[in-house]
Amino acid sequence: MRMSELIARPVVDSAGELVGQVADVRLIQDGPLLQQVQNAFRVAGLIVVARHTGRLFGYERGPAIKGPWLIRALLGVLHRDTRYVTWEQVGGIDGERIVLRVPVRELASVRDLYQEGRADA
């Protein structure tokens, strides 16, 4: 599957409730060694937005992103329900939908990824 096939797909939780749609894919470069040069990328998780309110500009990703406070505040409100779904939480793909193994309440806020001290951020 190509990454472009994941973007904009609807995501539902384990109860069938709509969580949102995939806005971005988080990759980790820890796969098998390719041509003795670098490791392959693998999907670590999905960034899911509850409603399509424009592009993600990076401001939703935490306090380390600097910029005009008014824009940060506005985009923070618009994307307050942006969630991070680990690849382990994905149960499968049913038609056009990505189905999760967990309820929406168990999903992390995307801001939680960028807290100081997190090793995987």
Side-chain angles (χ1 to χ4, degrees):
M1 174 175 268
R2 294 186 178 273
M3 192 166 40
S4 62
E5 295 175 42
L6 293 172
I7 301 294
R9 276 192 190 244
V11 178
V12 296
D13 71 359
S14 58
E17 296 294 319
L18 182 66
V19 176
Q21 66 181 16
V22 178
D24 204 356
V25 178
R26 189 163 190 211
L27 303 173
I28 293 180
Q29 191 174 11
D30 67 352
L33 193 62
L34 300 174
Q35 299 177 359
Q36 305 299 317
V37 177
Q38 67 182 18
N39 293 84
F41 287 93
R42 70 174 174 85
V43 175
L46 307 171
I47 306 293
V48 178
V49 293
R51 58 195 165 284
H52 190 63
T53 54
R55 295 179 177 259
L56 298 176
F57 293 103
Y59 292 103
E60 76 285 348
R61 297 196 180 178
I65 304 298
K66 303 296 182 205
W69 72 268
L70 182 59
I71 293 173
R72 280 196 329 256
L74 177 62
L75 291 173
V77 169
L78 289 174
H79 293 293
R80 67 185 171 275
D81 295 325
T82 301
R83 301 282 177 230
Y84 178 67
V85 177
T86 65
W87 194 246
E88 291 76 23
Q89 292 174 317
V90 174
I93 297 177
D94 179 23
E96 288 298 312
R97 303 179 318 162
I98 296 173
V99 181
L100 305 180
R101 299 174 196 246
V102 297
V104 67
R105 70 179 176 278
E106 291 185 24
L107 299 176
S109 167
V110 76
R111 290 181 182 205
D112 295 342
L113 291 176
Y114 301 96
Q115 298 300 317
E116 264 187 63
R118 290 225 17 185
D120 62 342

